[in-house]
Amino acid sequence: MTEASDDAKDIEKLYEYGERLNEVKDKSENAEDYENIIKAVKSSSVKARQLAAQLIPRFFKYFPALSVNAVDAHLDLCEAEELGIRVQAIRGLPLFCKDTPEYLSKIVDILAQLLAAEENVERDAVHKALLSLLRQDVQASLTALFKHVESVDEQITDENLRERTLLFIRDKVFPLKAELLKPSEKMERHITNLIKRSLQDVTGAEFKMFMDFLKSLSMFGEKASPERIQELIEIIEGQADLDAQFNVTDGDHIDRLISCLFMALPFFERGASNSKFFNYLNKHLFPVFDKLPEERKVDLLKNLAEGSPYTSSQDCRQILPAKTMPRRKAGEEMNFTYVECLLYAFHHLAHKAPNSTNSLCGYKIVTGQPSDRLGEDFSDQYKDFSERLNCVEDLSRATMRKLTQGLAEHNKSLTTAVSDEAKATIRTQKQNAATGLRTCNNILAMTQPLQSKTPSFIGDKSINLSWKDAVKPSATSSATTTGVKRPGAHNGAGNNPSKKGCGGGSTQNQLSNRAFGGPSYGGQTVGGRGRGRGHGRGRGGEEVFDSLVSATNVT
């Protein structure tokens, strides 16, 4: 009874302090009342402490001399054992900044640390308090919030706090960008700079999250200047670490490099330069292509193919080297997706540097430049290149017959399949076969224009790569949607055993599974901090078409 009476007295006194402070004009004369409110934080009464959590921030601005004690006392309430007290104290934190904005960064910092709260109602109160401060001063609030994401000075020790802050930014801040980022030009620049400072140590998923957000900003939208698009490319180049010394045994760097290149492809189409990426590939990766992890080779070649239309003429001449091509070895396997990628890249690179192919393939292309080398005899190169093209065409046609036959068999099997698992397997096999047919059709469409000493090189988008979605008739040939993920399955990345004699007759068992099976995920970003990983599948066999491998410096 005595304890209840004491609690009631504490609450009654707090109401008296609050009423006097409300009524008096010069509140500084009643500093003792405010001190007593601060002392109520130590009360044994839950209700008294909840009331103190309301009164401390309400009169905070009138007593600057007591500001340190007031904030410390309020923080004690934020850490109280009782959930109700903690929630009330958290709700009061934004009031400290209403008329004293110099405390905003400190309060945001405190709220960010409270994001790790386990109770939903408490965490919800933290979210609402932070959003209230963001609406009050978005620039200062974002700056304070991102300090828990940056790790430039190695001051971040609580990884859980960093992750909670990132989740809040992703789920609560980014969706409200239209409301919060005003004036848009100034604030979009501010948050872009904050994000750029936060990228020195991020996971692949975090980097993709930040890049997806930056792409959504109006400053990087459809009407963005070439300089703005190039800025995004430079961010991706920094994450790919293109200034680092390349080590073929560093699988993490290879993963990050290929994933970043995939992420950069839409920006190449929008006018950004691919020169730094492609020159790095040409100098460091292509010479050691055989030593790269098998699962990343197909991803690299797909990125090469998709990026090749946007290569400058000067870079095309560097990537198309004038050197003698090794002869094809008998009995090697052929990877149809490798061939499709390399043919596509070859066409687009040669379209911008056509006379570079004279010494490479024995063509007779006249541009009037000394680099035409028309007085030299490259007939052996032309004969060898033509033989390789013929061999590829024979293998592709033979494979298409097998795949067509296989499709008919799959259709029959599907009608008799009983279990859902069996039906799903057959549908997958049909999809593999259909993708394989697209791959072979593309190969034939690209080899035929090369069967002449004055060939025509495909420089437009008339060839739709087999792993890409089919282009709708209503879409323009040059349109590619920014941010579209590469299809993850059935890309034709496997192998097909070639015959010892070109076009000769050994049977190709389980052709669809071997030649066109297996997923490739060139655009995924997973893994640890500082990594941007992707996964893929594709076996060797590049020697069967090593003329085109050589054409892109991959040997």
Side-chain angles (χ1 to χ4, degrees):
M1 186 70 179
T2 303
E3 184 177 345
S5 176
D6 290 341
D7 288 350
K9 289 181 180 179
D10 288 345
I11 295 171
E12 184 178 352
K13 287 180 180 178
L14 283 172
Y15 276 119
E16 289 178 4
Y17 301 145
E19 287 176 2
R20 281 202 295 265
L21 287 172
N22 271 328
E23 292 170 358
V24 68
K25 289 184 177 181
D26 185 3
K27 302 188 190 308
S28 61
E29 296 179 357
N30 292 62
E32 185 177 353
D33 287 338
Y34 191 64
E35 285 184 279
N36 287 329
I37 292 174
I38 294 174
K39 291 177 183 178
V41 169
K42 306 297 183 182
S43 172
S44 59
S45 168
V46 172
K47 291 185 177 180
R49 282 184 285 165
Q50 283 182 302
L51 183 56
Q54 297 178 45
L55 297 176
I56 289 174
R58 182 183 300 174
F59 300 108
F60 176 74
K61 66 179 180 179
Y62 301 111
F63 303 97
L66 298 173
S67 61
V68 174
N69 292 341
V71 172
D72 287 346
H74 200 85
L75 291 182
D76 288 341
L77 295 175
C78 291
E79 297 174 350
E81 292 183 3
E82 296 84 0
L83 176 62
I85 295 175
R86 296 201 304 272
V87 171
Q88 185 63 58
I90 289 168
R91 289 171 178 168
L93 282 173
L95 298 177
F96 282 98
C97 314
K98 187 174 182 180
D99 297 295
T100 50
E102 63 270 22
Y103 282 91
L104 188 140
S105 294
K106 181 180 179 66
I107 299 302
V108 170
D109 180 71
I110 292 167
L111 285 166
Q113 296 179 55
L114 294 173
L115 284 169
E118 295 181 0
E119 297 288 343
N120 289 336
V121 63
E122 184 177 1
R123 196 160 56 248
D124 183 62
V126 174
H127 291 173
K128 290 179 178 178
L130 278 171
L131 288 173
S132 173
L133 293 176
L134 282 162
R135 291 184 174 99
Q136 178 180 329
D137 187 339
V138 64
Q139 183 169 351
S141 297
L142 285 173
T143 301
L145 203 56
F146 267 86
K147 286 181 180 178
H148 293 280
V149 179
E150 300 173 17
S151 56
V152 178
D153 299 323
E154 300 298 330
Q155 295 176 347
I156 302 296
T157 56
D158 189 345
E159 190 66 23
N160 183 53
L161 170 59
R162 180 183 178 277
E163 291 178 1
R164 289 283 188 175
T165 305
L166 277 172
L167 286 174
F168 175 77
I169 291 172
R170 183 194 69 185
D171 297 338
K172 303 297 181 180
V173 178
F174 285 175
L176 295 176
K177 65 179 185 295
E179 173 191 349
L180 297 176
L181 300 183
K182 293 179 179 179
S184 61
E185 184 174 352
K186 177 183 177 181
M187 294 317 305
E188 285 188 3
R189 171 49 60 191
H190 180 64
I191 197 170
T192 297
N193 292 339
L194 290 174
I195 288 173
K196 289 167 74 171
R197 289 204 298 267
S198 303
L199 295 178
Q200 293 196 22
D201 187 18
V202 292
T203 66
E206 290 165 359
F207 182 66
K208 184 179 184 303
M209 175 194 75
F210 281 132
M211 288 304 301
D212 286 345
F213 174 72
L214 290 178
K215 288 188 297 184
S216 73
L217 297 178
S218 59
M219 65 183 287
F220 297 116
E222 292 182 0
K223 297 181 180 179
S225 65
E227 291 76 17
R228 292 275 172 86
I229 302 303
Q230 191 61 33
E231 181 180 355
L232 291 179
I233 281 293
E234 289 172 2
I235 293 173
I236 300 174
E237 289 173 348
Q239 187 69 12
D241 212 3
L242 297 182
D243 294 321
Q245 183 65 37
F246 181 73
N247 182 351
V248 73
T249 63
D250 187 351
D252 287 337
H253 186 202
I254 294 171
D255 286 344
R256 189 164 67 255
L257 173 64
I258 294 175
S259 293
C260 286
L261 177 56
F262 176 78
M263 191 179 294
L265 292 174
F267 303 113
F268 296 155
E269 185 172 9
R270 294 178 65 184
S273 171
N274 67 7
S275 183
K276 192 168 184 179
F277 262 112
F278 271 40
N279 283 319
Y280 191 88
L281 297 181
N282 192 43
K283 181 178 179 181
H284 297 290
L285 271 74
F286 293 161
V288 295
F289 183 79
D290 288 341
K291 297 179 181 179
L292 295 178
E294 290 297 328
E295 67 274 14
R296 300 325 309 267
K297 289 181 180 179
V298 70
D299 290 328
L300 174 61
L301 292 180
K302 284 183 175 183
N303 289 338
L304 170 69
E306 292 189 46
S308 60
Y310 316 108
T311 309
S312 68
S313 298
Q314 181 179 353
D315 289 338
C316 286
R317 282 189 288 271
Q318 293 177 357
I319 298 173
L320 283 169
K323 67 178 186 179
T324 303
M325 297 173 289
R327 295 188 176 277
R328 182 178 67 84
K329 299 175 183 178
E332 293 289 339
E333 294 183 337
M334 184 169 106
N335 184 307
F336 287 91
T337 300
Y338 280 20
V339 174
E340 181 188 13
C341 291
L342 291 167
L343 271 169
Y344 190 88
F346 179 83
H347 269 280
H348 282 276
L349 297 174
H351 179 75
K352 293 182 179 179
N355 63 348
S356 296
T357 64
N358 287 352
S359 59
L360 180 65
C361 308
Y363 290 140
K364 297 292 185 181
I365 296 174
V366 180
T367 65
Q369 300 296 320
S371 54
D372 289 348
R373 303 174 67 179
L374 295 178
E376 301 179 50
D377 182 12
F378 297 115
S379 57
D380 288 342
Q381 283 87 338
Y382 179 73
K383 179 182 178 183
D384 184 57
F385 190 66
S386 297
E387 289 177 354
R388 297 169 191 274
L389 291 176
N390 291 333
C391 183
V392 167
E393 289 179 349
D394 290 343
L395 288 171
S396 298
R397 292 189 181 100
T399 301
M400 290 177 71
R401 289 193 293 271
K402 296 285 186 181
L403 290 172
T404 303
Q405 180 181 350
L407 277 175
E409 294 173 355
H410 293 323
N411 287 331
K412 291 180 181 179
S413 301
L414 192 59
T415 59
T416 59
V418 177
S419 67
D420 291 339
E421 183 179 355
K423 292 179 180 178
T425 300
I426 295 170
R427 291 191 183 99
T428 299
Q429 292 171 342
K430 283 185 61 179
Q431 189 172 355
N432 282 341
T435 302
L437 284 170
R438 288 200 303 272
T439 300
C440 290
N441 272 318
N442 282 345
I443 290 172
L444 292 174
M446 290 186 285
T447 55
Q448 290 168 6
L450 302 177
Q451 295 279 25
S452 168
K453 284 202 173 185
T454 54
S456 59
F457 300 119
I458 299 171
D460 56 20
K461 294 189 176 180
S462 57
I463 299 294
N464 190 49
L465 293 164
S466 61
W467 61 88
K468 305 283 285 184
D469 291 336
V471 179
K472 296 180 180 179
S474 59
T476 61
S477 61
S478 61
T480 299
T481 304
T482 300
V484 172
K485 292 184 179 180
R486 174 172 291 156
H490 322 306
N491 56 60
N495 301 311
N496 165 44
S498 66
K499 295 110 178 176
K500 290 187 178 180
C502 257
S506 65
T507 303
Q508 298 170 326
N509 294 324
Q510 298 180 337
L511 179 65
S512 179
N513 289 337
R514 298 193 62 195
F516 303 99
S520 174
Y521 305 99
Q524 284 192 350
T525 49
V526 297
R529 295 277 287 280
R531 307 290 184 260
R533 297 190 178 188
H535 300 282
R537 177 177 298 172
R539 298 179 57 197
E542 59 273 14
E543 287 293 339
V544 75
F545 207 69
D546 53 9
S547 59
L548 290 177
V549 173
S550 297
T552 52
N553 233 1
V554 184
T555 56

